[in-house]
């Protein structure tokens, strides 16, 4: 079975540009999570969805960040406009029936110049 | 709020050596405890978990025991291999925090042949 799929794997962009990260969760999973990983702050939960509905977005850093899940097999995390401090690895994860056993994608490494 | 503290790395050891990674936590109530592992270039994956005091989680030769009296969940492996080189994350989930996972900062382990 395919795991969580994220694209792109690497993204380099300039400050001010819009960035869109994509995620396909494991088929049948009903929870989807977006995390950000940095050396300074470690692994932070940004937002999670249950059955395509955003449940908790308290970790979203500011209005420049937005996430959507239009259907059960696709989610996006958008940063507009991007800033150098957004440089990080962004992980998508999915789970079935609860929040505890999560399956992570390989991540998108974002560099904002 | 909930928090997880784990020993800083990197931890460097030789093949077949004994590995211990310390993890302590602060949480309201009785959380579930987890170890996740991140291999180079990959997302995190669940290694083992324990849901109540004195439970022992085990997988792939790794073990960790839920110690409520010391609020600890130390990870151990008796004989490591080069393939165990990775970053290990201790995590907890508690009902008070909506069952979201709270991760420690991660411990990088490097096993040399």
């Amino acid at each position: 079975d395919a795991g969580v799929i994220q694209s792109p794997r690497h993204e380099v962009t300039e400050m001010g540009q819009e960035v869109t990260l994509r995620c396909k969760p494991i088929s049948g999973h009903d929870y989807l999570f977006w995390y950000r990983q940095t050396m300074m702050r470690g692994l932070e939960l940004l937002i999670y969805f249950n059955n395509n509905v955003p449940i908790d977005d308290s970790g979203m850093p500011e209005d420049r960040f937005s996430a959507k899940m239009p259907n059960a097999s696709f989610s996006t995390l958008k940063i507009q406009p991007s800033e150098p401090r957004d440089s990080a690895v962004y992980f998508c994860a999915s789970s079935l029936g609860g929040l505890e056993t999560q399956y992570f994608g390989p991540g998108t490494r974002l560099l904002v110049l | 709020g909930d928090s997880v503290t784990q020993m800083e790395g990197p931890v460097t050891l030789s093949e077949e050596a004994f590995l211990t990674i310390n993890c302590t936590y602060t949480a309201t109530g009785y959380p579930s405890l987890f170890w996740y592992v991140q291999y180079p270039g990959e997302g995190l994956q669940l290694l083992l978990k324990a849901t109540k005091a004195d439970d022992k989680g085990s997988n792939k030769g790794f073990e960790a025991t839920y110690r409520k009296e010391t609020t600890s969940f130390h990870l151990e492996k008796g004989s490591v291999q080069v393939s165990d080189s990775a970053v290990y994350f201790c995590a907890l989930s508690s009902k008070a925090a909506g069952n979201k996972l709270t991760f420690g900062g991660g411990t990088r382990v490097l096993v040399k042949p």
Side-chain angles (χ1 to χ4, degrees):
Chain A
D1 287 342
V4 175
I5 299 172
Q6 292 187 246
S7 64
R9 292 294 307 274
H10 302 273
E11 177 82 22
V12 180
T13 191
E14 293 187 346
M15 184 174 63
Q17 296 298 305
E18 178 180 292
V19 175
T20 300
L21 311 181
R22 297 173 177 79
C23 175
K24 177 179 170 57
I26 293 173
S27 178
H29 281 192
D30 54 351
Y31 285 84
L32 184 139
F33 309 83
W34 283 101
Y35 288 89
R36 178 172 67 177
Q37 185 181 42
T38 62
M39 289 292 291
M40 291 297 295
R41 300 174 67 91
L43 196 61
E44 304 172 277
L45 176 65
L46 301 178
I47 185 172
Y48 78 90
F49 297 82
N50 178 217
N51 292 322
N52 314 337
V53 176
I55 302 300
D56 186 339
D57 66 354
S58 59
M60 296 286 264
E62 50 198 272
D63 291 344
R64 298 185 297 107
F65 286 69
S66 62
K68 294 182 179 180
M69 192 166 185
N71 57 62
S73 58
F74 183 67
S75 177
T76 59
L77 178 68
K78 186 174 294 185
I79 308 173
Q80 167 63 17
S82 58
E83 297 183 2
R85 60 192 169 117
D86 302 330
S87 298
V89 180
Y90 291 82
F91 288 104
C92 177
S94 69
S95 66
L96 177 62
L99 282 67
E100 296 186 346
T101 303
Q102 298 180 20
Y103 296 80
F104 282 72
T108 295
R109 187 173 295 275
L110 173 65
L111 177 61
V112 183
L113 303 174
Chain B
D2 294 350
S3 66
V4 177
T5 302
Q6 55 182 112
M7 59 191 291
E8 289 194 21
V11 174
T12 303
L13 56 167
S14 299
E15 211 165 19
E16 299 184 2
F18 185 88
L19 171 67
T20 299
I21 304 176
N22 291 337
C23 170
T24 57
Y25 66 89
T26 302
T28 303
Y30 303 97
S32 294
L33 302 174
F34 307 83
W35 279 100
Y36 275 78
V37 59
Q38 184 180 24
Y39 297 105
E42 299 182 11
L44 283 71
Q45 55 185 275
L46 179 64
L47 181 59
L48 54 83
K49 70 177 183 181
T51 57
K52 60 182 187 295
D54 299 324
D55 268 3
K56 178 185 286 188
S58 61
N59 186 25
K60 299 181 180 179
F62 289 89
E63 292 183 340
T65 301
Y66 189 141
R67 300 290 188 197
K68 181 173 176 292
E69 63 276 13
T70 54
T71 61
S72 65
F73 193 54
H74 305 320
L75 182 69
E76 297 180 336
K77 186 174 185 181
S79 177
V80 294
Q81 305 300 312
V82 172
S83 58
D84 294 323
S85 298
V87 181
Y88 294 82
F89 292 87
C90 187
L92 68 81
S93 73
S94 69
K95 285 187 177 179
N99 290 324
K100 293 182 291 186
L101 286 176
T102 300
F103 288 91
T107 301
R108 182 176 299 276
V109 172
L110 177 61
V111 180
K112 296 186 175 181

